[in-house]
Amino acid sequence: MKLIIQVPCYNEAETLEIALNALPKHIDGIDEIEYLIINDGSQDATVEVAKKWGVNYVVNFRRNKGLAKGFMAGIDACLRNGADIIVNTDADNQYCGDDIEKLVRPILEEKADIVIGERPIDNTAHFSPLKKKLQHLGSWTVRVASKSDIPDAPSGFRAYSREAALRLNVTNEYTYTLETIIQAGRQKIAMQSVPIRTNPELRKSRLFSSMFGYVKRSTITIIRAFMLYKPLMFFGTIGILLFLVGFGIGIRFLVLLATGHGVGHVQSLILASTFILMGVQTFIIALLADVIASSRKLIEDVQYHVRKLDYDKECEEKNNK
């Protein structure tokens, strides 16, 4: 059983060694632990620090591509190097390295394929009251979208079995955390949450420059995930609401017409027709989007089998050398 711990990095020379030193060297049930960093276009000595420390693999980007692309590049490298379990953690030492054992235990016991660390958000000193509320709201929205019970959806401290990692797809360029949970929920991949500890803040978060930016990007990510993975519900709900508004206005016009007060309310009839037409058109879009989503499922299944053949063949070739 091989575990690879991946650490996305962007100008992390000051904190990377601290984070790496905290990572476990042995876990019961794991035969081999290796370490990988994703250098996301760092301009400092991040790579030199990692190599000096002794990481096994370095994935290099010549320019910054963002957390989502870095995460998927790391997953790809871990799978190609034979990882049975992949753990993702941060280079700023936000998460307690000793808790990696908590993350991998449900996978080792075959109780889950994805395990997400639940941070003590309400007790985290460097989280503002607004950020705490937004974290809870975002997690609740993702739980509704994914039909899961994950209490801390934005947490980047998580473990994946090889099977779950082979099925991962990330389409947005901002973050992988929310989309992958919704995707896993749609695919009915077994997920579990475990309580974890966090360390004092060593630096400010670079994921967003302001609270407004965080809310805006997270909202767009969630809406986009709804559109991709639950299009019939998303567009169908909008279509039904538009139709009902138009229908209500139309009923009002008919009542006025029946009571002899219809003169001068022709605008209501036009407005009702417009809303009803918009509702019908949106519902047709919902049906078309659902057909596209069905095709997407087939493509993802083909992609999974192609990935599995590709990665397994590459690992076998490396083992035979």
Side-chain angles (χ1 to χ4, degrees):
M1 184 66 68
K2 183 176 182 178
L3 164 66
I4 298 182
I5 302 172
Q6 71 170 36
V7 187
C9 300
Y10 178 58
N11 294 333
E12 305 287 2
E14 293 183 5
T15 61
L16 181 58
E17 187 174 1
I18 299 172
L20 291 173
N21 286 335
L23 299 179
K25 307 300 185 292
H26 171 77
I27 296 175
D28 290 339
I30 300 291
D31 303 310
E32 186 179 3
I33 300 178
E34 293 183 339
Y35 310 91
L36 176 147
I37 71 157
I38 302 103
N39 173 39
D40 193 11
S42 298
Q43 303 299 315
D44 63 2
T46 294
V47 175
E48 288 77 5
V49 170
K51 289 181 176 179
K52 182 179 178 181
W53 186 86
V55 298
N56 302 89
Y57 313 103
V58 176
V59 176
N60 265 312
F61 289 162
R62 293 186 178 180
R63 60 172 295 180
N64 182 258
K65 293 187 178 182
L67 184 59
K69 288 189 179 297
F71 170 79
M72 287 305 298
I75 292 292
D76 177 76
C78 290
L79 290 170
R80 290 187 184 281
N81 286 285
D84 297 298
I85 301 175
I86 302 168
V87 166
N88 187 85
T89 188
D90 282 358
D92 61 358
N93 200 42
Q94 176 187 171
Y95 307 111
C96 182
D98 290 338
D99 287 340
I100 287 178
E101 183 169 3
K102 291 184 181 179
L103 289 180
V104 302
R105 189 58 53 193
I107 297 176
L108 290 172
E109 295 174 354
E110 299 184 352
K111 294 179 179 178
D113 285 302
I114 298 176
V115 184
I116 298 172
E118 178 190 355
R119 296 166 295 176
I121 293 174
D122 292 327
N123 298 322
T124 303
H126 60 270
F127 281 8
S128 67
L130 177 59
K131 184 174 181 178
K132 292 175 182 179
K133 292 183 182 299
L134 291 173
Q135 293 272 2
H136 288 307
L137 177 61
S139 295
W140 175 81
T141 306
V142 172
R143 286 197 297 274
V144 172
S146 63
K147 294 183 179 179
S148 69
D149 58 355
I150 302 301
D152 187 9
S155 172
F157 195 43
R158 46 182 70 189
Y160 296 89
S161 69
R162 184 175 182 84
E163 186 71 14
L166 283 166
R167 294 189 178 276
L168 284 180
N169 283 296
V170 177
T171 58
N172 81 84
E173 297 184 356
Y174 171 54
T175 181
Y176 61 90
T177 55
L178 308 181
E179 182 179 353
T180 49
I181 293 176
I182 295 173
Q183 183 185 108
R186 185 182 67 90
Q187 294 180 350
K188 301 189 183 302
I189 296 174
M191 290 185 287
Q192 189 172 322
S193 177
V194 296
I196 52 101
R197 296 163 291 175
T198 55
N199 297 314
E201 187 179 38
L202 295 180
R203 62 159 174 77
K204 294 294 183 182
S205 172
R206 298 196 187 109
L207 189 57
F208 55 92
S209 56
S210 66
M211 193 59 65
F212 174 75
Y214 171 75
V215 173
K216 181 182 73 173
R217 289 192 175 190
S218 296
T219 301
I220 291 172
T221 299
I222 292 170
I223 291 174
R224 195 165 184 269
F226 261 111
M227 292 170 62
L228 281 172
Y229 301 114
K230 294 182 178 292
L232 184 61
M233 183 181 75
F234 181 83
F235 291 107
T237 301
I238 295 174
I240 289 171
L241 288 174
L242 290 171
F243 182 87
L244 289 176
V245 170
F247 185 77
I249 295 173
I251 292 296
R252 174 180 176 273
F253 174 78
L254 291 176
V255 170
L256 290 172
L257 187 65
T259 55
H261 298 89
V263 179
H265 291 280
V266 178
Q267 299 94 328
S268 295
L269 182 60
I270 296 172
L271 186 62
S273 302
T274 301
F275 271 104
I276 289 173
L277 182 60
M278 289 170 60
V280 172
Q281 288 178 331
T282 305
F283 196 77
I284 291 172
I285 291 173
L287 296 176
L288 292 173
D290 189 56
V291 172
I292 295 171
S294 298
S295 299
R296 179 189 175 90
K297 291 177 184 178
L298 295 175
I299 294 170
E300 286 178 346
D301 191 53
V302 171
Q303 182 189 50
Y304 162 77
H305 289 288
V306 171
R307 276 178 172 175
K308 187 173 177 61
L309 289 170
D310 182 29
Y311 293 140
D312 289 352
K313 181 181 178 181
E314 189 166 334
C315 290
E316 186 178 348
E317 289 175 351
K318 286 182 179 180
N319 292 332
N320 291 334
K321 287 183 180 178

